[in-house]
Amino acid sequence: VVTDHLTGDDHLVSYGLAFTPDNGTLYLSHVEDEVWFRRFVDYIGKIPEIDTKLAEEKLSSQILKEPRDYVQSVKDLLLSQSLQKNVEAKITVGNELKVYRDWLQECSINLVVLNTKDEHQTAMSGFAHAFAVEFRNVPTLML
């Protein structure tokens, strides 16, 4: 499952689980865009009363905590329902396409599930289009 907002993307997780065989591994990924993150840290750095280094650490920690907590809740649910599926988290801040290129090479992925748009778009998102073009040899379910 590929997204930049894993928390609350239950439909993506449901599709991912549906295509994950028993004893298979569902990778739940969340990549916060590094350019966006750096921009906010730069804004914070312009406020003299705020310790920029501390703010960067706390912001990074909180941004990544929520998707990690979400992944744990998925694991707990699967365990409570005795489903035989493994769940692994892939969560970071970085350049999305580069991170996914590295992860796709690292893991044995049979299918990628991703959103093609969000509530603010009527057409395919720029990321979904870039992903589809960059990884055209990777089977992808685009919702």
Side-chain angles (χ1 to χ4, degrees), residues 87-98:
V87 176
E88 288 193 28
K90 294 288 196 179
I91 299 169
T92 194
V93 174
N95 174 295
E96 293 169 306
L97 291 177
K98 181 184 179 319

Side-chain angles (χ1 to χ4, degrees), residues 3 9 11 14 16 25 28 41 48 51 54 56 62 70 73 80 84 96 107-108 115 130 134 140-141:
T3 185
D9 260 342
H11 74 286
S14 294
T25 300
L28 297 178
V41 170
D51 179 341
L54 178 63
E56 179 178 359
Q62 186 61 38
Y70 181 79
S73 73
S80 74
Q84 302 299 312
E96 293 169 306
C107 305
S108 177
N115 281 325
E134 184 74 22
T140 304
L141 174 61

